[in-house]
Structures are given as C-alpha cells and as structure tokens.
Amino acid sequence: MLAFGTAVLSSAVTMVAMKQMLFNADETDGSKEMFTGSGNVAGRFVMASQAPADPSDFTSAAESTINGVVSIKSYSTPRGYRQQGGGGFFGDPFFEYFFGSPGGSRRSQPQQEEPSRQQPSGLGSGVIISPDGYIVTNNHVIDEADRLEVTLNDNRTFDATVIGTDSTTDLALIKIDAKDLPVIPMGDSEALKVGEWVLAVGNPFGFTSTVTTGIVSAKGRSIGRQNHSRMDIESYIQTDAAVNPGNSGGALVNLGGELIGINTAIYSQTGNYAGYSFAIPTTIVKKVVSDLRQFGTVQRAVLGISISELTSEIAKENGITAVTKGVYVGDVNDRSSAKEAGLLKNDVIVKINDIPTDNVAQLQEQVAKYRPGDKIKVTYVRDNKVNSVDVTLRNPQGNMQMTKASDFTDLGCAFKKVEESTLRQLGLSNGVQVAGLSKGRFQEAGVKNGFIVYSINNSRVSSPDDVEKIYKSIMKGSGDEKVMIIRGVYPTGKRGIYAVDLSGVE
C-alpha cells in the first residue's frame, strides 16, 4: 500500500458525502486523427490555437475548453446497502478502512429494507470529443450506474448511453443525443514536457466549470493504485494542478487548449487535493476511445512477457553494464509475440519504436497504443549489446483476432427459477435451472438443458439475476483468463461441474 492513499477523483461517494471520495486510482500514435488505431478513422479533430505568447496567460485556454467539459451524475438503485451486512462499495473493506461504514456503527445492526428506487450515487466530469455527443470520462465515474445524467456548461441536461468501458485503463465512452457541441481537440501528450503549464477543468465538489492550473511534474508515472491487476495500465501525467472529488473524468489541457489527459487520481491521505494529481495521457485515451467506439471493447495487444524495472541489484546479478535504465524481461510466455520474435529472459527493453522505455509505465503506454496484428520495433540489450527486432503483437489469448464486446446472451441459454419441491427433493437450498439451451458458451462447455446451477465461481446462485451479476463481474475483471466454474445437479440427481470459457469476449 502507498504511504499516502491513492484517491480516485470521482465520486462514487460524492452524493453520499461530498467531502468523501472513493479511493482506487489506475493509444495510438500522435497523429492528428480522432478515433485512429490501425488505420480506422471515425472522425478528425481540429487543432487548437497555438499557446499564447505570454506563458502565464491562461485565459485563452480556459475560455476555449470550459464549454467542452460536462458534469456527470450517476444514479443507481442501492442494492448492496439493503443486504444484511452491507454490500457494494459500502460493504468493501477498503472503503471502510478510509471512511468507516455508512452511518458509523450501523453496519453491525440488522439492515432495514429501503425502497427500490434510483438515488444519486456519484458526481464526476467528462470531456466532449465530438460534436455529435461522444464524451470520454473515467470508468469509475459511471461504473455500476443504472442511469447517467449529463449537464452541459449551458445547463442543458441529457441522459447518456454507455458505449463501452475499460477498467484496465479506467476509461469509459458515453454518448448523449445532441448536435453541434463544443469539442476539446485532442493534443499529443507525448509532446508534453516536464515543467510545462497545464490546466485542469472539471467539477470539483459539484462546483461546475472550475479551472485550476499547475505544471507537469512528471510523465510515465505509475502509482500502484488499489486493487491493482497485473493487466492494469498505469502511465500517468503527474501535475500539481489542484483537483478534487468530482474532477474525475475532466480535462487536462495545455495552453493551446488541447486535451492532453483525463484527470483520474490524486495522491492524498484525506481524499482531497494534497499536492499532486494524475491524468491518463491522450496517447492511451485516443486508442481506447477508438476501440470502444468501433468494437465496444478495447483490443488489447501484449508482448507476452513478465517484466520489472531494471534495478542495480538485477543489473549486478545478471552482469548488465551497458544500460542503467530499462525494462527487464523476467520471463517470456509461450505462444506470445515476444517468444515468436526471439526475445529472451534477461533481455532489457530500452525502446519501443525508438521511444525510450526507461520504466514499466512507459513500456505499457507505448504497447497500449497498438492492436493485435500491429507490428512494433523493440530495441533491447542482450549480453550488453544493443539489438532491435520487429514484433507482431498478439492479444492476451495468444492470437491476432479482434475481440467483441461481452453480451450476456453469449451464454446461449435462459435461466428460470426452480420449484421449491424440486430443490427439497435434491437437497438444495438454492439454484436456477438452465432452459432454452442453444448455440453458445454453455453448450460448448457441455451443459445440458435442465441442469440446476447452485454456484458459480464459489458464489451462491439463487436467481437469474445472480447469474448475470456474476457474469458481468467476471467480464469487468482485467485479467486475461475469464472463466465460469459452474457447479450444479441434474433433476436425476447427477452432479456436474463445468468450466465455461469466456475468453475472446471483453
């Protein structure tokens, strides 16, 4: 755990208590095309005006971008809070560690049923990236929401539709039904320099249209966000611009009024601004947005290696003297693009397409700009000699196929409630029955009609909704292995265990 908590800036808890915030923290090339990525162009963006002659004049950048940032309110039905012992993020021990349980000691008391109606659950920001209503924000701003309400700077309000989400980069793409909207043009975060002035535009604590300023403190920063997965991508722009709860998903812009990052996290003990904030660079944003718009899910390319930063200890142990910085290859996976290209354990990767990779975050950022099937040039050091090799990237499953967005109907069956008499006869206390089996994941795994599922991945199943919730939870995970382990029994009493492979969908 970090010495200071890494705080996500949204507001999964803003409407619960505006002063609190949910902790969580975690590409294409720099071409002048919005939604690029492997040559697929869905629209172009206009370059902003050049930076003002006076580097301390922020008015032009503020005026040109403030209308391109929106407020996003999320509404949800408070399911978890009505359950015995709590649930959802309120029941998360990480939430309680920082904030305590809602209402102090109430969590230890029996929970009372509350009306099943939508309630405000969060407040964040978003950035308009196309005149027809596409908006990029953080995944944690809209996660678990039943309804999203977007308010423009002119006070017009729209309901938003989720186009796609990516927990790995903590980005999401949503859309409102509107035209001729003000757009913040995409800039090139790779051209950003440490020490350069930047502006953060968002809605901290619900105060709309707020602009703060600071300088770029560092690039390619990894902060080890909480609940970090090995697949999570962290290569943040670090600034000292003041951002707070509600700023999540807002714009980080340069003095030319170009978007160069999406504000995401702060480094804080209290959950409020304490000196440093972090933004996802547009090198990653452009690729993710392009994929979400085109496929509904991100096309993840990987080298297929285990990596760490080169340290003096690793260098000494392996006799590495030619370089002092780079990404050390600890292992090479079978059926990976790295293995096919001839990369080996103990190699040190120092560049991707001639762009330095001094640390893991920088390597992740460069690889994340590409899709499976794309070729990159990898420069590495082996036996203290510099070498280069062209690598054709693969997806986490080891092939070059494009994945499609997940859909619960991919399981290829329906689930119905089981009669109490049947449960008693089989000695079960819960379960749902497979019905209407057709071509899909369940059939491929060998499941037959009539099978009664009582647990999935060791989670109790009592209703069809339980199956869908577990499915969505699995698909939201950022690991490359997605599987349902299903336990149940047929009406004849024959028990069965099936592994339903969900890889290949995102």
Side-chain angles (χ1 to χ4, degrees):
M1 182 178 290
L2 298 173
F4 300 92
T6 301
V8 167
L9 299 177
S10 148
S11 51
V13 294
T14 303
M15 300 303 291
V16 177
M18 189 66 74
K19 293 182 180 180
Q20 295 179 345
M21 58 182 262
L22 183 62
F23 282 42
N24 190 351
D26 219 356
E27 320 189 66
T28 67
D29 58 22
S31 65
K32 301 298 181 269
E33 292 176 337
M34 181 185 294
F35 309 131
T36 60
S38 301
N40 294 294
V41 181
R44 295 180 181 273
F45 61 84
V46 182
M47 293 301 295
S49 59
Q50 298 299 314
D54 181 359
S56 64
D57 181 6
F58 311 122
T59 58
S60 177
E63 289 173 358
S64 67
T65 58
I66 200 167
N67 290 319
V69 176
V70 303
S71 172
I72 301 175
K73 290 181 181 179
S74 60
Y75 294 82
S76 61
T77 303
R79 305 177 185 90
Y81 189 65
R82 298 196 308 272
Q83 299 170 355
Q84 179 68 29
F89 60 77
F90 291 116
D92 191 307
F94 181 69
F95 180 93
E96 290 194 34
Y97 177 82
F98 286 100
F99 303 123
S101 58
S105 61
R106 284 192 299 172
R107 187 173 185 271
S108 62
Q109 300 172 2
Q111 301 294 323
Q112 295 182 354
E113 289 291 325
E114 296 180 5
S116 180
R117 62 176 183 271
Q118 289 182 348
Q119 297 180 5
S121 59
L123 180 64
S125 304
V127 179
I128 303 172
I129 57 173
S130 71
D132 57 345
Y134 283 94
I135 297 168
V136 65
T137 184
N138 285 138
N139 177 58
H140 72 260
V141 169
I142 58 94
D143 193 31
E144 303 295 338
D146 295 322
R147 183 170 70 90
L148 296 173
E149 183 181 278
V150 171
T151 302
L152 306 184
N153 198 40
D154 61 10
N155 290 326
R156 285 185 292 164
T157 300
F158 301 84
D159 283 341
T161 301
V162 177
I163 302 301
T165 64
D166 182 41
S167 61
T168 300
T169 55
D170 195 17
L171 288 170
L173 182 66
I174 64 177
K175 190 178 187 304
I176 60 174
D177 187 12
K179 295 180 180 179
D180 301 323
L181 297 177
V183 174
I184 298 182
M186 288 275 187
D188 182 5
S189 58
E190 287 189 347
L192 196 65
K193 296 179 180 179
V194 174
E196 186 174 334
W197 283 104
V198 289
L199 278 70
V201 187
N203 306 288
F205 300 116
F207 298 121
T208 59
S209 308
T210 298
V211 179
T212 58
T213 188
I215 63 167
V216 176
S217 306
K219 294 176 62 179
R221 181 73 79 194
S222 176
I223 55 179
R225 74 189 194 205
Q226 303 295 337
N227 303 321
H228 183 72
S229 162
R230 67 186 183 88
M231 291 294 291
D232 285 351
I233 296 171
E234 289 189 357
S235 184
Y236 295 115
I237 300 168
Q238 177 183 324
T239 81
D240 63 357
V243 293
N244 279 292
N247 267 113
S248 264
L252 187 71
V253 300
N254 59 24
L255 294 192
E258 298 171 324
L259 182 72
I260 44 88
I262 298 295
N263 294 316
T264 297
I266 61 178
Y267 206 53
S268 171
Q269 284 180 310
T270 64
N272 296 332
Y273 176 72
Y276 291 114
S277 55
F278 300 89
I280 303 167
T282 53
T283 50
I284 294 177
V285 174
K286 285 188 284 186
K287 163 61 164 54
V288 170
V289 165
S290 172
D291 284 353
L292 292 180
R293 188 172 185 182
Q294 186 174 350
F295 300 99
T297 188
V298 175
Q299 305 302 319
R300 193 81 60 207
V302 296
L303 283 169
I305 53 179
S306 299
I307 55 177
S308 62
E309 290 173 18
L310 181 66
T311 63
S312 57
E313 291 79 7
I314 291 175
K316 183 176 181 180
E317 182 179 339
N318 294 278
I320 301 170
T321 58
V323 288
T324 58
K325 293 186 292 185
V327 177
Y328 176 76
V329 178
D331 200 8
V332 179
N333 300 336
D334 291 335
R335 298 179 62 246
S336 67
S337 53
K339 192 175 188 68
E340 182 183 51
L343 291 175
L344 300 175
K345 180 179 179 180
N346 298 330
D347 287 346
V348 179
I349 299 175
V350 293
K351 292 180 183 179
I352 299 290
N353 286 345
D354 296 323
I355 298 176
T357 54
D358 294 339
N359 54 48
V360 169
Q362 290 176 351
L363 183 142
Q364 286 182 323
E365 181 178 347
Q366 293 309 311
V367 175
K369 297 193 296 185
Y370 301 96
R371 291 175 177 169
D374 288 345
K375 289 186 178 181
I376 62 173
K377 175 185 170 185
V378 177
T379 303
Y380 63 96
V381 173
R382 180 185 297 167
D383 298 329
N384 292 315
K385 296 180 181 178
V386 179
N387 306 274
S388 292
V389 64
D390 290 332
V391 178
T392 302
L393 295 170
R394 299 186 180 189
N395 62 28
Q397 287 73 47
N399 59 60
M400 300 176 196
Q401 296 178 358
M402 296 296 175
T403 57
K404 63 185 182 72
S406 65
D407 188 333
F408 186 58
T409 60
D410 289 338
L411 297 182
C413 63
F415 301 92
K416 66 180 184 179
K417 192 172 181 179
V418 185
E419 296 292 335
E420 288 294 332
S421 58
T422 302
L423 291 176
R424 285 196 301 269
Q425 181 181 344
L426 295 171
L428 300 176
S429 60
N430 61 279
V432 296
Q433 192 164 32
V434 174
L437 191 67
S438 60
K439 184 178 180 181
R441 301 282 173 161
F442 266 48
Q443 189 179 75
E444 292 170 1
V447 179
K448 303 291 193 301
N449 263 322
F451 186 65
I452 298 172
V453 179
Y454 58 74
S455 78
I456 300 177
N457 291 6
N458 294 321
S459 293
R460 179 188 178 106
V461 174
S462 300
S463 70
D465 283 347
D466 289 341
V467 181
E468 186 167 4
K469 288 175 185 176
I470 294 170
Y471 173 84
K472 288 181 177 179
S473 177
I474 294 171
M475 299 314 300
K476 281 182 179 179
S478 52
D480 55 352
E481 294 181 357
K482 295 181 170 66
V483 64
M484 279 181 155
I485 303 300
I486 296 176
R487 289 178 168 83
V489 60
Y490 286 96
T492 60
K494 179 183 177 182
R495 294 186 177 273
I497 301 177
Y498 298 95
V500 179
D501 183 12
L502 300 180
S503 61
V505 296
E506 289 285 332

